[in-house]
Amino acid sequence: MESRKYNFIWLVMSLLVVTGSVSAQEEEKVELPFESEYKEPKTKLWVNTYGKIRIGKRLFWDAQTHFRFEETKATPFIGQVGQIYNRHAIGYIYSKKSEL
């Protein structure tokens, strides 16, 4: 009897979610342009480094660096640095198959 009660509640909640999402989609009407407009193609180059450096028996340093170059009018093809990601973390080796 208890499982029927939960199944009914789950069914009602699911119908409310579906009904709410359908009504929200109907309200949003977006005007599309007559013709498509495309951006000029650009060359992008990503250079990445990944390293795991052992600090101790179970600790390691995870170092990731990304340089993302983007073409501009002044610097064609490879371009100039558009983004730099510099991520570092300390990890712990729990076992041979898992780490945090």
Side-chain angles (χ1 to χ4, degrees), residues 38-61:
Y38 294 100
K39 294 180 180 178
E40 287 294 319
K42 287 184 178 180
T43 302
K44 293 186 178 184
L45 172 70
W46 292 12
V47 178
N48 309 316
T49 63
Y50 299 94
K52 287 189 176 182
I53 298 131
R54 202 70 173 255
I55 297 173
K57 185 176 179 182
R58 294 194 176 262
L59 287 177
F60 64 92
W61 170 32

Side-chain angles (χ1 to χ4, degrees), residues 20-36:
S21 65
V22 169
S23 64
Q25 290 175 359
E26 290 174 359
E27 291 175 9
E28 296 177 19
K29 292 190 178 183
V30 178
E31 188 81 24
L32 297 176
F34 180 70
E35 292 181 352
S36 298

Side-chain angles (χ1 to χ4, degrees), residues 2-95:
E2 193 72 24
S3 66
R4 284 186 178 177
K5 177 181 172 184
Y6 289 121
N7 287 340
F8 178 74
I9 292 171
W10 183 84
L11 177 66
V12 170
M13 295 299 287
S14 299
L15 289 174
L16 288 173
V17 169
V18 170
T19 308
S21 65
V22 169
S23 64
Q25 290 175 359
E26 290 174 359
E27 291 175 9
E28 296 177 19
K29 292 190 178 183
V30 178
E31 188 81 24
L32 297 176
F34 180 70
E35 292 181 352
S36 298
E37 295 179 17
Y38 294 100
K39 294 180 180 178
E40 287 294 319
K42 287 184 178 180
T43 302
K44 293 186 178 184
L45 172 70
W46 292 12
V47 178
N48 309 316
T49 63
Y50 299 94
K52 287 189 176 182
I53 298 131
R54 202 70 173 255
I55 297 173
K57 185 176 179 182
R58 294 194 176 262
L59 287 177
F60 64 92
W61 170 32
D62 190 1
Q64 300 178 12
T65 306
H66 302 241
F67 293 99
R68 297 182 180 180
F69 297 90
E70 195 170 290
E71 179 181 36
T72 64
K73 289 181 180 179
T75 55
F77 190 58
I78 292 178
Q80 62 187 18
V81 176
Q83 296 172 326
I84 297 175
Y85 291 99
N86 197 13
R87 292 181 254 191
H88 300 275
I90 298 292
Y92 180 77
I93 300 171
Y94 182 72
S95 69

